Amino acid sequence: MSSLFTRIRQGELPGHIVWDDGQCFAILTLKPIREGHLLVIPREEVDHWYDMPAPLNAHVFGVARLLSQTMKAQFPCEKVGMMIAGLEVRHAHLHLIPVTAIADLNFSLAQDRDDALQRQTAQKLRDALRAAGYGNIPAEPAK
């Protein structure tokens, strides 16, 4: 059975995809800690990040790097933090979160967000990535 993330990428479940390059994709999390909270996910359903083949691992972390740079420019923050937990969905994923303090990296701060706000946030990121010259940006699905 496909993971929750794969089902979102395939359009079976709703989600806001901001990046998809064939090897990995990035989506807004359903319960963000802060606006812009993204998940970077390999297409291959690997349980632990350290079990990804080395080239895929390097690619996923490289995409996380460029997405973090874009996020830093788009959201008020001092840095973009990264966390890897992997307990909630058994499909490797990196959490990227705009932060101003270490206390911002706290899953207890996660909350449901209005879908309209999530749609705006996703579009803001897609627009910034396109403006930076990246071509792996999907269009927002029709609602």
Side-chain angles (χ1 to χ4, degrees), residues 31-72:
K31 290 191 171 204
I33 292 173
R34 296 195 59 194
E35 183 183 9
H37 182 168
L38 282 179
L39 305 178
V40 182
I41 309 160
R43 278 189 171 220
E44 183 179 338
E45 292 186 7
V46 177
D47 187 9
H48 296 287
W49 68 270
Y50 51 77
D51 288 333
M52 284 188 274
L56 178 59
N57 191 295
H59 180 78
V60 168
F61 277 84
V63 168
R65 179 178 179 265
L66 74 88
L67 290 172
S68 294
Q69 292 168 335
T70 301
M71 292 167 69
K72 174 114 173 37

Side-chain angles (χ1 to χ4, degrees), residues 30-128:
L30 296 175
K31 290 191 171 204
I33 292 173
R34 296 195 59 194
E35 183 183 9
H37 182 168
L38 282 179
L39 305 178
V40 182
I41 309 160
R43 278 189 171 220
E44 183 179 338
E45 292 186 7
V46 177
D47 187 9
H48 296 287
W49 68 270
Y50 51 77
D51 288 333
M52 284 188 274
L56 178 59
N57 191 295
H59 180 78
V60 168
F61 277 84
V63 168
R65 179 178 179 265
L66 74 88
L67 290 172
S68 294
Q69 292 168 335
T70 301
M71 292 167 69
K72 174 114 173 37
Q74 296 302 309
F75 302 105
C77 64
E78 190 166 324
K79 295 190 178 240
V80 175
M82 180 189 298
M83 291 193 297
I84 304 171
L87 298 171
E88 63 283 6
V89 178
R90 299 289 185 171
H91 183 162
H93 57 286
L94 311 178
H95 290 262
L96 302 179
I97 305 159
V99 298
T100 56
I102 194 70
D104 292 334
L105 293 176
N106 181 342
F107 285 112
S108 70
L109 300 173
Q111 56 188 303
D112 290 323
R113 294 287 163 99
D114 176 78
D115 190 60
L117 175 61
Q118 288 286 81
R119 206 171 22 258
Q120 289 173 352
T121 299
Q123 195 58 53
K124 181 178 184 177
L125 285 166
R126 285 190 210 100
D127 290 347

